[in-house]
Amino acid sequence: MAVRSDARDAAGKYWLLVLMLAAWELSGRLGLVDQAFVPSLSAALSAVFDMWERTHLFMHVMVSLARVTAGLLAAAAVGVPLAYLLGRTLPGLAERIEALLRVFALINPYCVFPLFVVFFGAGELPKIAVLAWVSLWPVLFGTLAGVRGVDPALIRTARSMAAGSSAVFWKVVLPAASPSVFNGMRTGVGMSFFILIAAEMTGATAGLGWIVHSAGALNQVPRIYGAGLCIVLLGVLLNRSLLFFGNGLFFWWKSGTDPLAGVRTEGAARRLGLRSALAAAALFAVAMGVGAYEIWRAEALLNDPGEMPEYRVWAE
Amino acid sequence: MKLFRAKETAVSLFYRGGSVVIFVILWQLACSAGLAPETFVASPATILRTLWQYALDGSLYRHSSVSLARAFYGFVLAVAVAVPVGFMLGGWFKNFERAVGPLLAFLGQFNPFALFSVFLLLFGIGEVSKVAMIFWVAVWPILYNASLGVRTVDPLHVKLARSMGMGRVRLLWKIVVPSSASFLFAGLRLSAATAFFMLIPAEMMGASRGLGWLIMNAQVNYQIPKLYTGTLVIVVFGILIDALFRFLERKVVVWKGAGQM
């Protein structure tokens, strides 16, 4: 019974998407569009399989994922404590420097990227730094909004019951602010995914952006679309898994709909406990580890010209 | 009374903008004292001097006008396509959030950079491919907000207008558009900001003029003051565009009151 209603639910949700994908496939098959420019869906998918088997697609995906994760972690490590400090300890200062922070947030990351290259040299560091820069602002403003939005009555109540400042932090401020922090992180992930592809296109030797770039240079059009599909899938998956954990961890989340994801957040999902949160953290750590290994492997492959013909084409 | 209010705005302006001024002064002091390495960090005075130089030799105007024109065309095209389509999607699909949401999420995730090579193939290396890229990023926020705006029109208003014999065109013009205007404006503002934001990388990748090219050129030639100057110009334009849309919204959506969001 439940399975059936789930299926109907999914059909109601995705029929338009499926229709569009079918239209894409058919327009190529029927010759409505030039296959040289717009290969059909099946051609793009077979390019994905081909890349998986022959040109280390998994490695590129993991490299991109590790970069985004590292950038987000760095942004959270800086942004959350800073915003907490500004919002709770120095609210007057926060009000006065907010304009400055808004100006910083407006600085285009593509303008910052060359500067980071100057500061950090080539390699992974400037890319991760620019991703951290991009995610920093949503995380910072999200945390600031969350910390400011804590109902003062709750804090006073806790205080009047002789809760110490650490208890107030752990029991009141953190739970009240964390959904907003989490939303900031989700925005940050979305934006850094946007930037990542461009950053990988301009100066990288691995990653999904690099695939797009090299496929474009070599005029392998199905590969461009295949890599594009991978980027979409990875983006949606990342967003969904964050939403899943968010719904589970912050079960007191205000109901509402998530823009663009088309996901109803009302009627919170299954509540996740500490153990699940730890499992998620472990999963992230494993992904990071694999990603770091794959970055190292990409470097090694670069120095082994027999391995990847695409690399040699680029180097020459 | 008037004087008092003027004083009040001046004080609030100082509170809001004062931090920026203080930051710039500190930055200048750090540069003058030699605390910041000159090869990496340009001082505000140097940036202003470079800016003045650009303004005098006309390159500031040339690059800015090219960039703004690209962003403008991409944005206008996006508005022309997304507003009608968004209204239709919102009006036709009763289970809109469920059916249209996933589709828009999928398409919006299609990274414009992944499409850049395709746009080059389709539209050549001229202006059209850049405008197409800006169009692509600008179209989604408007589409989503326009359709959401139509969805949130109070059905009672529509029924009332119908029962008084209002025709379809007038219904659209008198009920649907005003009700969804605040959503529409939110979409427009977001989309304009995104268009200008995306313009810079689009110009970095294949252009010979424009602000993005200016940044790229400064980076390649290692001209740090130019890099900072270009960044400053882009930030100022970003602020201006945001302010323009806020101003327009305040002027147009005068009826936005307590009842609406």
Side-chain angles (χ1 to χ4, degrees):
Chain A
M1 191 66 194
V3 174
R4 206 164 145 193
S5 81
D6 273 2
R8 193 179 295 163
D9 210 40
K13 238 171 169 173
Y14 295 112
W15 65 271
L16 206 58
L17 182 60
V18 171
L19 201 69
M20 193 213 67
L21 291 177
W24 177 12
E25 175 69 30
L26 280 178
S27 64
R29 293 258 160 141
L30 299 176
L32 295 177
V33 292
D34 194 344
Q35 291 247 19
F37 292 151
V38 186
S40 58
L41 175 62
S42 54
L45 284 178
S46 74
V48 171
F49 284 115
D50 181 57
M51 285 191 286
W52 182 276
E53 288 206 329
R54 297 202 299 155
T55 56
H56 311 278
L57 180 62
F58 177 72
M59 178 185 85
H60 292 295
V61 170
M62 289 314 285
V63 166
S64 290
L65 198 60
R67 282 175 183 151
V68 170
T69 316
L72 184 70
L73 285 181
V78 174
V80 174
L82 186 65
Y84 180 78
L85 193 72
L86 282 176
R88 286 284 300 160
T89 327
L90 307 161
L93 181 70
E95 221 163 273
R96 280 180 182 70
I97 68 166
E98 190 158 350
L100 184 65
L101 294 177
R102 297 272 171 204
V103 170
F104 276 138
L106 263 176
I107 295 179
N108 197 300
Y110 302 99
C111 301
V112 178
F113 188 51
L115 272 183
F116 282 168
V117 173
V118 171
F119 277 121
F120 300 116
E124 292 302 314
L125 214 51
K127 288 182 203 79
I128 293 174
V130 81
L131 296 180
W133 168 271
V134 170
S135 338
L136 176 63
W137 304 110
V139 170
L140 189 76
F141 289 127
T143 311
L144 208 53
V147 171
R148 278 178 181 165
V150 179
D151 189 351
L154 290 179
I155 297 177
R156 261 183 265 135
T157 311
R159 282 264 170 76
S160 72
M161 292 197 251
S165 59
S166 81
V168 168
F169 173 75
W170 287 109
K171 298 282 182 191
V172 180
V173 178
L174 191 67
S178 48
S180 173
V181 177
F182 193 78
N183 266 339
M185 286 173 77
R186 265 184 58 218
T187 314
V189 168
M191 284 184 71
S192 45
F193 226 73
F194 229 58
I195 309 299
L196 172 78
I197 306 303
E200 285 181 341
M201 282 175 88
T202 49
T205 50
L208 287 168
W210 180 83
I211 294 188
V212 171
H213 193 52
S214 76
L218 299 173
N219 204 13
Q220 298 163 323
V221 181
R223 279 199 180 176
I224 300 177
Y225 281 85
L229 279 181
C230 289
I231 293 167
V232 170
L233 265 181
L234 202 58
V236 170
L237 269 181
L238 219 56
N239 195 2
R240 277 303 171 84
S241 52
L242 279 177
L243 205 62
F244 173 76
F245 284 118
N247 276 339
L249 288 174
F250 315 123
F251 48 88
W252 60 90
W253 221 339
K254 275 181 197 145
S255 66
T257 41
D258 177 48
L260 283 186
V263 177
R264 280 163 200 274
T265 49
E266 67 204 48
R270 230 166 356 125
R271 181 176 164 177
L272 295 177
L274 188 63
R275 206 177 296 167
S276 315
L278 286 178
L283 210 65
F284 256 92
V286 169
M288 282 288 288
V290 174
Y293 165 71
E294 297 291 356
I295 287 174
W296 172 79
R297 197 158 75 101
E299 291 279 315
L301 283 176
L302 189 61
N303 296 325
D304 179 8
E307 186 64 40
M308 294 173 76
E310 281 89 348
Y311 276 148
R312 260 185 305 154
V313 169
W314 253 140
E316 273 159 14
Chain B
M1 191 65 195
K2 208 169 186 183
L3 193 71
F4 178 69
R5 192 177 292 160
K7 197 175 162 194
E8 202 174 42
T9 14
V11 168
S12 92
L13 205 67
F14 176 74
Y15 267 157
R16 286 195 286 131
S19 57
V20 181
V21 176
I22 291 170
F23 174 76
V24 171
I25 292 171
L26 285 179
W27 179 6
Q28 177 62 48
L29 285 178
C31 287
S32 306
L35 291 175
E38 217 171 300
T39 42
F40 294 159
V41 183
S43 72
T46 321
I47 295 172
L48 282 182
R49 209 176 308 131
T50 320
L51 188 65
W52 181 239
Q53 204 181 311
Y54 272 154
L56 281 186
D57 70 9
S59 52
L60 177 68
Y61 172 74
R62 202 170 64 239
H63 293 301
S64 312
S65 58
V66 166
S67 286
L68 286 178
R70 282 172 186 152
F72 178 76
Y73 288 131
F75 176 70
V76 166
L77 271 178
V79 172
V81 171
V83 173
V85 174
F87 272 21
M88 278 188 238
L89 283 179
W92 283 344
F93 290 101
K94 288 303 159 207
N95 53 355
F96 161 79
E97 275 145 32
R98 288 153 49 80
V100 180
L103 179 72
L104 291 189
F106 178 81
L107 286 173
Q109 284 271 346
F110 234 105
N111 197 294
F113 298 105
L115 290 170
F116 188 62
S117 325
V118 179
F119 283 162
L120 275 185
L121 281 174
L122 289 175
F123 305 119
I125 55 170
E127 293 297 308
V128 184
S129 60
K130 282 163 210 94
V131 173
M133 208 162 150
I134 290 160
F135 166 78
W136 179 263
V137 291
V139 88
W140 306 114
I142 308 179
L143 197 60
Y144 183 76
N145 278 293
S147 41
L148 199 64
V150 174
R151 293 288 302 154
T152 50
V153 174
D154 191 343
L156 264 183
H157 291 175
V158 177
K159 272 182 210 159
L160 193 64
R162 276 267 173 82
S163 72
M164 294 193 200
M166 202 180 248
R168 284 192 158 264
V169 179
R170 269 172 62 97
L171 186 76
L172 181 75
W173 206 225
K174 293 280 176 191
I175 306 285
V176 177
V177 171
S179 303
S180 49
S182 57
F183 275 99
L184 199 57
F185 262 97
L188 289 179
R189 191 150 53 86
L190 189 62
S191 153
T194 320
F196 194 68
F197 177 84
M198 263 346 226
L199 174 76
I200 308 307
E203 287 182 340
M204 281 177 154
M205 289 180 146
S208 51
R209 283 197 302 171
L211 293 169
W213 177 83
L214 200 71
I215 299 277
M216 194 67 186
N217 189 42
Q219 181 200 3
V220 171
N221 295 322
Y222 205 80
Q223 292 164 315
I224 298 297
K226 278 193 184 178
L227 195 57
Y228 278 88
T229 309
T231 308
L232 174 71
V233 173
I234 291 166
V235 167
V236 170
F237 274 127
I239 294 173
L240 287 182
I241 288 174
D242 190 64
L244 174 72
F245 275 89
R246 280 179 196 279
F247 173 76
L248 281 181
E249 183 173 0
R250 261 209 316 279
K251 285 289 158 199
V252 176
V253 195
V254 281
W255 58 86
K256 192 167 96 174
Q260 276 176 313
M261 68 162 283

